Amino acid sequence: MNLWFRLLLLLLRRPWRNPTSGLATTVTRLRVWPLDLDFNRHVTNGRYFTMSDVARMDYVLRTGAFRAALRHRAIPIVGDALGKFRQELKLFESFEIHTSLLGWDSKWSFIEHRFVKHGRVIAVIVIRGLFRSPRGNVCPTEFARELGLEEHSPPLPEWLTQWSASCDGLSSCLRDGESL
């Protein structure tokens, strides 16, 4: 099933979904459809990232982050993504995506998507993203305040800060390469 159909279905179900706190975990239930599969007859790696987009939209809608984005006329931007795959998903299997905000720094917000089947985490997608308005990036602290959260992020795991630093290093290398 295409991303747009899943997104439409999510929006149609929205009135029955309860709002939640910015630090709560949202759960999006999905099923594997034929267009999600690769030649090995399991969900293709890239599709996990696409399904994470749908789950992230559910999170943004339920936490009220979309209202803050509208006030700033900001759009969400994914800067970097990391995927860890542990077990395959096959045709017509149902699963859940558990989405949560891990925290933020001065520029980025970090969101985790855990793919869960039969109570077991089978894949994890982590993104660092931001909201960009016509005046530039919106500070994650400002978003936290608008969501009713404390301005200080929960402590970020060491692996996450190391990953973020490596992404910054790669960005720096790319910028240096552009000047050649």
Side-chain angles (χ1 to χ4, degrees):
M1 212 165 137
N2 189 305
L3 165 70
W4 294 107
F5 294 120
R6 283 189 168 115
L7 193 55
L8 180 62
L9 189 58
L10 175 94
L11 293 173
L12 290 173
R13 291 179 180 161
R14 170 127 173 56
W16 293 274
R17 306 275 297 176
N18 293 329
T20 190
S21 155
L23 289 177
T25 299
T26 60
V27 176
T28 307
R29 289 172 183 78
L30 297 174
R31 181 175 301 279
V32 177
W33 295 106
L35 292 178
D36 298 325
L37 305 179
D38 61 15
F39 292 116
N40 296 321
R41 298 182 321 272
H42 61 225
V43 172
T44 182
N45 296 349
R47 188 63 80 177
Y48 284 90
F49 292 94
T50 301
M51 292 180 201
S52 294
D53 289 341
V54 173
R56 196 164 41 259
M57 181 57 69
D58 182 47
Y59 172 85
V60 166
L61 290 170
R62 291 186 59 204
T63 60
F66 77 97
R67 283 192 287 281
L70 288 174
R71 278 193 290 279
H72 291 277
R73 294 190 357 234
I75 59 170
I77 306 286
V78 172
D80 302 280
L82 170 71
K84 173 67 178 160
F85 308 101
R86 299 180 66 209
Q87 184 183 348
E88 64 187 356
L89 279 171
K90 293 190 173 197
L91 186 61
F92 301 125
E93 287 186 320
S94 60
F95 61 96
E96 298 174 341
I97 304 175
H98 297 220
T99 303
S100 58
L101 176 65
L102 297 175
W104 55 91
D105 62 17
S106 60
K107 180 178 181 180
W108 301 103
S109 295
F110 301 94
I111 297 178
E112 177 184 73
H113 303 283
R114 288 179 175 248
F115 288 72
V116 178
K117 181 177 76 173
H118 304 304
R120 182 167 189 250
V121 176
I122 59 167
V124 177
I125 302 292
V126 177
I127 66 105
R128 70 177 195 165
L130 51 80
F131 283 93
R132 182 165 293 151
S133 77
R135 292 172 296 190
N137 298 338
V138 179
C139 180
T141 304
E142 194 169 332
F143 257 91
R145 195 174 31 250
E146 291 190 40
L147 292 178
L149 303 174
E150 293 184 23
E151 290 186 21
H152 298 287
S153 170
L156 297 174
E158 185 176 339
W159 67 265
L160 186 60
T161 56
Q162 289 175 356
W163 173 68
S164 184
S166 74
C167 291
D168 290 338
L170 179 57
S171 293
S172 179
C173 287
L174 290 173
R175 277 192 297 278
D176 291 346
E178 289 172 351
S179 63
L180 298 177

